[in-house]
Amino acid sequence: MSQEPSHLEFTPPDERGGGGSLLLALFVHALLLMALTWGIQWRTDPQDEALDAELWSNIPEPIALKSDPPAPPKTEPDPRVKSPPLKKEAPPAAKVLDQPNQISQAALKKAADAEIAIEKRRKKEAAEQLALEKQAEKQRKAEELAAEKQRKAELLREEAARRKEEAALRKEEEIKRKQEEIRLRKEEEARRKEEEAKRKADEARRKEEEIRLRKEEEARRKEEEAKRKEEEIRLRKEEEARRKEEELRLLREEEARRKAEEARRKEEELRLLREEEARRKEEEARRKQEEARRLEQEAKEAEEQRQQQIKRLKSLGASATGPVDPIKESQGSGKPSDSYLGRLRARVKPNITFSDSQLQSIRGNPAAEVEVIVSPSGQIIGMKLTQSSGNTAWDQAVLKAIEKTSTLPRDENGKIPPKIPFVFRPRD
């Protein structure tokens, strides 16, 4: 608990909501002050009492005259009722005889003087007693007031200490609460920064991983392409080396025979290659002969159709319009429809053979344009590269695919244009 200045030791701290208690304390003090004032006033009121004195003596009583009225009966005063002070009056002189009257007057005077002296002494003693009682009462009230003040001061000190302690506790709790809030905010901020840093690190790792995977994939494709080209040579060399090692280790004595067999094997392979080449050439020649015969037959059929058409037109009197070429009419001179060109591209595109490594070597998406010459039956009889893509491999792949297709379907109107343009791009 913090130390307070000495002059503020008994000062109660300000608190909210203390107006009601302050009003209640003032009201209680007012009631106490009114009770004390009433008690003092009650003690200071004069208390005059009526005193009666009876004197007895041997003096003969005077003889009352017949004309005197009878004396009233004497009543005892009620000590509980305060009566006003009675004025002492001399008793009326009785009508007596001369000498006895003088004697009784002297005795009465002495008795009255004695009564007055006794009354004065009694009043003096009563006044002194009253003064002593007032002094004692005043001292008692002063002591009670001092004790009350001391008690109130003690209560105020205790209340001030309690409030001071409560204020210190509240202050300490407030400090702890603020420190806890600051700690929680710092922890939350640190956690948020840590999560943000973790998220950024994860994002960076993810991007690095994607880049790494792309590079690895690219390198893998290149390596696979290179390995594919070298695999046959490597395998052949490994097989040859393994075979040689095995033969050298196990059959060193049969070296000559192995060489003879190797020579015969090579000769056999050469023979088979020659026979395969001759057979391929023979088949190519036969195919060309058949194609020539088929074209000749189609030309004859077309000529016959043309002659028949001419005869039919002549018979109908349509010679004024000029001769009609049935071949051109059957092939159609109009531009092919877009759907027809799409079907033709779909017919040729599956025959294009182009590897991924070759595709990676091409920059952009260049187009190879080819003009195909088609017979009326849809047979491809010629082609010409009208616009090169700039990549010889792609141009050759397109030409080979068209050649491999060999036959094209008819358009929706049943006709086939004599020349059909094709455009192919490697990344379409």
Side-chain angles (χ1 to χ4, degrees):
M1 185 180 296
S2 61
Q3 298 294 331
E4 297 290 337
S6 59
H7 65 280
L8 298 177
E9 182 177 359
F10 302 106
T11 303
D14 294 335
E15 293 185 357
R16 296 180 179 177
S21 60
L22 179 60
L23 292 176
L24 181 60
L26 290 176
F27 178 71
V28 172
H29 282 75
L31 290 178
L32 180 60
L33 184 60
M34 290 172 64
L36 292 174
T37 304
W38 179 79
I40 293 172
Q41 184 68 29
W42 177 73
R43 287 290 184 179
T44 55
D45 288 341
Q47 298 180 358
D48 295 332
E49 296 180 356
L51 300 177
D52 295 332
E54 293 184 358
L55 299 177
W56 302 84
S57 64
N58 296 324
I59 301 173
E61 293 182 0
I63 298 171
L65 299 177
K66 295 181 178 178
S67 60
D68 292 336
K74 189 176 181 180
T75 58
E76 291 294 333
D78 190 357
R80 294 176 299 178
V81 179
K82 292 182 180 180
S83 60
L86 299 176
K87 186 177 179 182
K88 296 296 182 177
E89 294 182 356
K95 293 181 179 182
V96 294
L97 297 176
D98 292 337
Q99 290 181 356
N101 189 17
Q102 290 178 356
I103 295 171
S104 64
Q105 286 180 356
L108 290 173
K109 184 177 181 182
K110 288 179 180 180
D113 292 337
E115 181 68 23
I116 291 171
I118 292 171
E119 181 68 20
K120 286 181 179 179
R121 187 172 58 253
R122 189 188 62 78
K123 287 183 178 181
K124 183 178 180 181
E125 290 175 357
E128 290 176 357
Q129 182 67 25
L130 182 60
L132 290 175
E133 290 179 358
K134 287 182 179 180
Q135 184 67 24
E137 183 68 20
K138 184 177 181 181
Q139 185 176 358
R140 185 182 62 78
K141 289 179 179 179
E143 290 176 356
E144 290 180 355
L145 185 60
E148 182 68 18
K149 288 182 179 179
Q150 185 177 0
R151 187 181 65 80
K152 289 181 179 180
E154 185 67 24
L155 290 175
L156 289 175
R157 283 195 296 272
E158 291 178 359
E159 183 68 18
R162 185 182 61 79
R163 292 183 180 180
K164 183 178 179 181
E165 186 176 357
E166 290 179 355
L169 289 174
R170 285 196 300 270
K171 186 175 181 180
E172 186 176 357
E173 290 177 357
E174 183 67 19
I175 291 172
K176 289 182 180 179
R177 185 183 62 79
K178 289 182 179 179
Q179 289 177 353
E180 183 67 16
E181 289 179 355
I182 292 171
R183 184 184 66 79
L184 291 176
R185 282 199 299 271
K186 288 183 179 179
E187 289 180 357
E188 181 66 19
E189 184 68 19
R191 185 181 62 77
R192 187 184 61 77
K193 289 182 179 179
E194 183 178 357
E195 289 179 355
E196 183 68 17
K198 185 177 179 182
R199 186 186 63 77
K200 290 182 179 179
D202 293 341
E203 184 68 18
R205 284 196 298 271
R206 186 182 63 78
K207 290 182 179 179
E208 290 177 358
E209 184 68 17
E210 289 180 356
I211 294 171
R212 184 183 64 80
L213 290 175
R214 284 198 297 269
K215 289 182 178 179
E216 288 180 356
E217 182 67 19
E218 183 70 19
R220 185 180 62 79
R221 284 198 300 269
K222 290 181 179 179
E223 288 178 3
E224 288 178 356
E225 182 65 21
K227 287 179 180 179
R228 188 182 64 79
K229 291 180 180 179
E230 296 175 358
E231 185 66 19
E232 293 181 359
I233 298 173
R234 184 184 66 79
L235 291 175
R236 190 165 57 249
K237 288 181 179 180
E238 288 180 357
E239 181 67 22
E240 184 70 19
R242 190 167 53 253
R243 185 175 58 79
K244 286 180 180 180
E245 289 175 0
E246 185 69 17
E247 288 177 354
L248 287 173
R249 185 176 64 82
L250 298 175
L251 301 173
R252 194 175 292 273
E253 66 277 8
E254 294 183 359
E255 183 68 22
R257 185 179 60 80
R258 188 189 64 75
K259 289 182 179 180
E261 290 178 356
E262 183 70 18
R264 284 195 301 273
R265 185 178 64 79
K266 289 182 179 179
E267 289 178 359
E268 183 67 19
E269 289 179 354
L270 291 174
R271 185 181 63 79
L272 292 174
L273 289 174
R274 290 192 194 97
E275 290 178 356
E276 181 69 22
E277 183 68 19
R279 186 168 59 255
R280 187 182 64 78
K281 290 181 179 180
E282 184 179 355
E283 290 178 356
E284 183 69 19
R286 186 168 58 253
R287 187 182 67 79
K288 288 182 179 180
Q289 290 176 1
E290 291 176 356
E291 181 69 18
R293 285 196 299 270
R294 185 178 59 78
L295 292 176
E296 184 179 358
Q297 182 66 26
E298 289 179 355
K300 288 180 179 180
E301 292 177 356
E303 181 65 22
E304 290 177 359
Q305 291 177 1
R306 190 175 67 83
Q307 293 296 333
Q308 293 175 2
Q309 185 70 12
I310 291 171
K311 291 178 180 179
R312 184 175 62 81
L313 292 175
K314 285 181 178 180
S315 64
L316 296 175
S319 59
T321 59
V324 178
D325 191 351
I327 297 175
K328 291 183 180 180
E329 184 181 1
S330 63
Q331 291 180 344
S333 59
K335 185 178 179 181
S337 63
D338 293 337
S339 61
Y340 180 60
L341 293 177
R343 287 193 294 121
L344 295 180
R345 281 174 54 83
R347 184 75 172 267
V348 175
K349 191 173 182 179
N351 296 326
I352 297 176
T353 303
F354 204 66
S355 65
D356 292 339
S357 60
Q358 291 175 324
L359 182 62
Q360 295 295 329
S361 64
I362 297 177
R363 294 183 179 180
N365 195 20
E369 299 180 6
V370 181
E371 185 180 67
V372 179
I373 301 173
V374 186
S375 67
S377 62
Q379 188 71 27
I380 298 174
I381 59 177
M383 66 186 74
K384 181 175 67 175
L385 182 65
T386 58
Q387 179 65 42
S388 175
S389 64
N391 188 285
T392 307
W394 175 248
D395 296 341
Q396 292 299 321
V398 172
L399 293 174
K400 289 180 180 180
I402 295 173
E403 182 179 359
K404 186 176 180 180
T405 304
S406 72
T407 304
L408 297 177
R410 296 179 182 273
D411 199 352
E412 295 175 354
N413 56 8
K415 299 177 182 179
I416 299 179
K419 294 181 180 180
I420 302 174
F422 284 92
V423 179
F424 290 98
R425 299 178 186 271
R427 289 186 172 85
D428 286 349

